[in-house]
Amino acid sequence: MHKRTRYSLLLMLALMAALVVALVLRKAAPPEVARLLPESDAIVYANLKPLRAATHFDRSPINRSPEYQQFIDATGIVPERDLDSAAFALHRMDDPNGPNGPVGYSEVFEGRFDGERLARYLATIATAKENYAGHDIFTIRVGDEKAVRPLRIAQLGYDTIAASNMPTAEQIHSILDRHRAAASPFSGSSLLSARYRDVPAFSSVWALGHIGLPFSDRGFVSVFGLQLPMPEDTTFVASLRYLGTIHLRIEQITPNDADAAHATETLTTLLTLLKTVQQAQAQMQPHPVTDAAFRELTDSTKIEQHKDRAVLTANIPLELVKQLAANTPDSQP
């Protein structure tokens, strides 16, 4: 009896230990919406819950386009209120002059959705419907007459939606295949497996891979008309963490230490130029609250070299985020 009791106790302890290990691995694993994404050149993820709680952006008035308002009326989905997390896969297009431009996208959204209302709405606007892996895939046509492209949408579950605007169904099929495989904590694309370990813990927003692709301009990264000294296929790991203050961290991964030193020097020069431009603009068109927030941002920005990486860190004032959210232009569906 004594031996049986000891054996039962050891078995219970082993099961508890296995459960703890499983929970730790699950917590350290990438978010499920990111693990469902297909192979891609870059990944962007956002957990909107902390940002919504901190800024209440869902309460800000938004000027919606008629099409966007029609979508909300038909489905009951208000993205700024109902969307909890989203993951985007960025795909470099072979023809940058095609309907997708230089980049195509695949997405997975998690939140609170009325699946029946959404399915009815999609059925009314879809030009085609396919059943794959037990899920209906609705295809709708988006864009203008010069650049019409397909947008495929599928409901993975009561709280998850997937979409892709790629020319073929390969990417949306891949998402459904990963979902059917139960999205193991160790699953995910090769890019996610290779780079997610570099994402700081507790990051609410992060991006990795060639995230300069949407800003490509003649082979280089261009932001607000300013061409950065790096090619469009430069690998980055960027993250935002909210710990009372929003912490920004961007790592540019270079081939060697010498390239990292050059990138650090160049970015430091650009930061100095940005501060000068900001000061001049504040004098010509003063906005005390905004100017103070931008000054806090630039003053907190640091650029350092860590071996083969150029690392930028900064603190983003919460007031600046609230102003940007309040000044969002007309929203599109």
Side-chain angles (χ1 to χ4, degrees):
M1 184 69 175
H2 178 70
K3 291 183 178 179
R4 184 177 299 176
T5 301
R6 185 170 58 182
Y7 174 78
S8 299
L9 180 60
L10 290 175
L11 179 60
M12 184 176 64
L13 291 175
L15 291 174
M16 291 178 61
L19 178 61
V20 170
V21 171
L23 290 174
V24 170
L25 291 175
R26 170 70 68 172
K27 190 173 183 62
E32 183 175 0
V33 289
R35 299 199 304 271
L36 292 174
L37 292 175
E39 292 294 324
S40 63
D41 296 285
I43 296 173
V44 179
Y45 167 82
N47 177 1
L48 299 179
K49 290 181 180 179
L51 186 60
R52 183 159 47 224
T55 66
H56 303 292
F57 66 82
D58 54 320
R59 304 177 188 175
S60 301
I62 296 179
N63 296 320
R64 300 188 178 101
S65 68
E67 295 83 0
Y68 192 7
Q69 189 61 53
Q70 180 184 4
F71 165 80
I72 292 175
D73 294 340
T75 64
I77 299 173
V78 182
E80 58 269 20
R81 180 197 67 194
D82 298 329
L83 190 61
D84 290 334
S85 63
F88 301 84
L90 282 62
H91 311 278
R92 187 195 303 274
M93 303 303 295
D94 294 333
D95 180 10
N97 298 316
N100 287 86
V103 185
Y105 298 90
S106 299
E107 308 96 16
V108 179
F109 304 101
E110 187 177 61
R112 295 171 295 280
F113 311 120
D114 187 328
E116 293 183 359
R117 290 180 65 180
L118 178 61
R120 286 197 299 268
Y121 171 74
L122 292 174
T124 63
I125 64 174
T127 58
K129 186 174 78 169
E130 172 197 9
N131 187 277
Y132 181 85
H135 296 270
D136 288 332
I137 302 174
F138 295 92
T139 300
I140 62 177
R141 297 290 174 179
V142 297
D144 53 32
E145 296 179 356
K146 297 180 179 178
V148 178
R149 57 192 180 276
L151 175 63
R152 296 177 176 87
I153 305 173
Q155 295 187 62
L156 306 184
Y158 72 95
D159 63 348
T160 312
I161 298 171
S164 178
N165 69 355
M166 293 294 284
T168 69
E170 176 185 351
Q171 285 72 27
I172 196 79
H173 286 177
S174 175
I175 293 174
L176 290 170
D177 288 338
R178 293 183 190 278
H179 181 262
R180 183 171 51 183
S184 161
F186 304 102
S187 65
S189 67
S190 57
L191 173 61
L192 192 66
S193 300
R195 289 296 175 198
Y196 182 72
R197 65 176 67 95
D198 295 321
V199 176
F202 310 111
S203 297
S204 298
V205 180
W206 50 263
L208 46 85
H210 303 160
I211 57 176
L213 286 177
F215 311 104
S216 299
D217 181 18
R218 295 184 295 277
F220 290 87
V221 180
S222 180
V223 180
F224 300 119
L226 177 65
Q227 188 178 94
L228 302 183
M230 56 190 69
E232 63 184 4
D233 59 354
T234 300
T235 300
F236 295 92
V237 176
S239 62
L240 289 174
R241 292 189 295 171
Y242 178 65
L243 303 172
T245 302
I246 300 178
H247 297 274
L248 168 68
R249 180 182 178 90
I250 302 176
E251 296 185 45
Q252 176 189 348
I253 304 174
T254 64
N256 51 59
D257 294 4
D259 287 344
H262 176 69
T264 301
E265 181 182 356
T266 304
L267 291 174
T268 300
T269 302
L270 288 175
L271 176 61
T272 302
L273 176 61
L274 177 62
K275 289 181 178 180
T276 302
V277 172
Q278 176 214 340
Q279 292 171 358
Q281 186 174 7
Q283 292 176 352
M284 293 186 294
Q285 296 178 331
H287 297 280
V289 176
T290 304
D291 293 342
F294 270 110
R295 186 164 56 252
E296 182 181 346
L297 169 63
T298 54
D299 288 347
S300 69
T301 301
K302 296 180 181 178
I303 301 172
E304 301 172 320
Q305 179 188 358
H306 294 174
K307 295 184 178 180
D308 62 343
R309 305 188 180 198
V311 181
L312 181 150
T313 58
N315 295 329
I316 302 178
L318 198 56
E319 183 60 36
L320 181 59
V321 177
K322 291 180 179 179
Q323 291 181 44
L324 292 175
N327 295 328
T328 302
D330 291 356
S331 296
Q332 300 294 324

